[in-house]
Amino acid sequence: MKAAVVNEFKKALEIKEVEKPKLEYGEVLVKIEACGVCHTDLHAAHGDWPVKPKLPLIPGHEGVGIVVEVAEGVKSVKVGDRVGIPWLYSACGECEYCLSGQETLCPHQLNGGYSVDGGYAEYCKAPADYVARIPENLDPVEVAPILCAGVTTYKALKVSDARPGEWVAIYGIGGLGHIALQYAKAMGLNVVAVDISDEKMELAKNLGADIAINGLKEDPVETIQKKVGGVQAAISVAVTKKAFEQAYQSVKRGGTLVVVGLPNAELPIPIFDTVLNGVTVKGSIVGTRKDMQEALEFAAMGKVRPIVETAPLDSINEVFDRMIKGQINGRIVLTMQETN
Ligand SMILES: [Zn+2]
Ligand SMILES: [Zn+2]
């Protein structure tokens, strides 16, 4: 089968023929139709993070496709089902986190397109118990970004504890942010969208943002404090340290900053303000299988629709180049061509 392979960090991916994965007990083989390109894939290909991915690596954790083979022991999924293979590729099911509905914190988890091969390929295998069932009416290309960008932002909003009618600020209206905004609106929240281009402001308004702030033209913290008296929750999916600092300062007393984006930086938090204002700072990583089901349900009901652009698997290196230059609106989804 054809796959895009990272042989060495910071080098171009190689498009090559590799062996089709062989199934073990409880696994399914998925013929990938589409796989979204997440910023994490770029970090994986560059070996940017303290915990390195396996090498060689087939990245991708937004793979969607049809189950073409099931191994012994598979009960929940059958041949012909459309499924997604997410970042939470598997967890142990037995540790304190798995047992308490926090499987995303499982220390024994495997991660799709990182510690195991992912969806930048014609086929990908996965444990049946952890694949996401894709609702029938959804298009594989359009739904792919829900597998990571969708569930991640939906979960971040959930843990923010913001309630319908309250204000949230979303810093960064890119691949994750434009989806976060739609979940927030669908959840009955009022939204301030912050980014640094007029194009993103236009997009944010079209997606229903109540207030859109171009951070290059006005100070988002000042505007947010003046117009709504601070937000109940701020979600930072941006990739700059400054956005995280501003997100923190946008939160009102008793509010929450949810940290989602992963810039390679520290977040200095003023102790005095945090204590006196009773501010909570939380990290949030993807979502559980239950969160995934809920996130997909919003998409199935047409309440959340990722903006996607398709590109063939072979063009992944150009896609990464555009990602580095910040030239992507919404999400790029790779499509697999037939080679048989
Ligand atoms: Zn991702
Ligand atoms: Zn576990």
Side-chain angles (χ1 to χ4, degrees), residues 91-99 102-103 105-109 130:
C92 78
E94 289 168 358
C95 69
E96 63 173 296
Y97 305 103
C98 283
L99 291 177
Q102 301 179 86
E103 63 200 19
L105 304 181
C106 175
H108 311 295
Q109 69 183 275
Y130 285 84

Side-chain angles (χ1 to χ4, degrees), residues 14-252:
E14 187 187 357
I15 310 295
K16 62 190 255 196
E17 282 296 318
V18 299
E19 219 177 305
K20 228 191 219 181
K22 292 202 171 54
L23 297 190
E24 287 171 35
Y25 187 90
E27 291 180 333
V28 295
L29 184 67
V30 179
K31 187 174 198 310
I32 299 292
E33 298 169 290
C35 185
V37 181
C38 179
H39 220 269
T40 293
D41 302 337
L42 185 59
H43 289 302
H46 286 184
D48 281 339
W49 290 337
V51 179
K52 307 289 176 201
K54 79 179 194 74
L55 282 182
L57 171 75
I58 301 175
H61 53 271
E62 289 185 351
V64 174
I66 303 292
V67 174
V68 290
E69 199 183 319
V70 300
E72 203 189 326
V74 172
K75 295 193 182 83
S76 52
V77 181
K78 58 183 190 314
V79 169
D81 287 353
R82 179 170 284 137
V83 298
I85 304 176
W87 176 253
L88 185 69
Y89 182 86
S90 69
C92 78
E94 289 168 358
C95 69
E96 63 173 296
Y97 305 103
C98 283
L99 291 177
S100 59
Q102 301 179 86
E103 63 200 19
T104 51
L105 304 181
C106 175
H108 311 295
Q109 69 183 275
L110 295 177
N111 297 120
Y114 205 84
S115 53
V116 290
D117 284 334
Y120 286 13
E122 287 176 314
Y123 293 89
C124 183
K125 72 168 188 173
D129 289 347
Y130 285 84
V131 295
R133 240 83 62 79
I134 306 296
E136 264 180 15
N137 61 333
L138 289 173
D139 174 72
V141 168
E142 258 189 29
V143 77
I146 300 291
L147 270 292
C148 176
V151 73
T152 298
T153 53
Y154 172 61
K155 176 71 163 189
L157 287 159
K158 266 178 94 170
V159 302
S160 80
D161 290 329
R163 292 166 196 284
E166 291 181 332
W167 284 90
V168 296
I170 296 166
Y171 276 80
I173 303 299
L176 266 74
H178 88 282
I179 299 177
L181 200 171
Q182 296 179 59
Y183 276 109
K185 289 308 295 177
M187 292 161 89
L189 299 161
N190 301 321
V191 179
V192 185
V194 185
D195 208 303
I196 52 169
S197 80
D198 285 335
E199 205 185 348
K200 294 279 172 70
M201 293 304 94
E202 208 43 52
L203 170 66
K205 280 184 205 149
N206 289 337
L207 294 173
D210 300 280
I211 299 173
I213 301 172
N214 181 338
L216 288 184
K217 294 186 176 165
E218 54 184 319
D219 179 357
V221 177
E222 233 168 67
T223 306
I224 288 171
Q225 295 296 352
K226 195 171 80 200
K227 285 194 173 162
V228 301
V231 291
Q232 185 59 41
I235 316 273
S236 185
V237 294
V239 290
T240 65
K241 184 179 168 187
K242 189 169 179 201
F244 280 78
E245 290 169 352
Q246 290 175 330
Y248 174 87
Q249 290 161 2
S250 307
V251 169
K252 69 199 280 187

Side-chain angles (χ1 to χ4, degrees), residues 232-312:
Q232 185 59 41
I235 316 273
S236 185
V237 294
V239 290
T240 65
K241 184 179 168 187
K242 189 169 179 201
F244 280 78
E245 290 169 352
Q246 290 175 330
Y248 174 87
Q249 290 161 2
S250 307
V251 169
K252 69 199 280 187
R253 292 181 161 217
T256 302
L257 167 66
V258 186
V259 178
V260 177
L262 286 167
N264 207 349
E266 307 263 305
L267 171 63
I269 294 169
I271 296 171
F272 188 83
D273 290 347
T274 305
V275 173
L276 266 73
N277 296 338
V279 170
T280 303
V281 177
K282 272 185 189 175
S284 182
I285 173 83
V286 293
T288 63
R289 287 170 287 176
K290 180 71 170 70
D291 298 321
M292 181 72 80
Q293 223 173 47
E294 294 168 10
L296 285 166
E297 205 51 46
F298 277 87
M301 292 174 78
K303 293 182 176 180
V304 171
R305 176 171 275 190
I307 294 171
V308 295
E309 177 191 328
T310 56

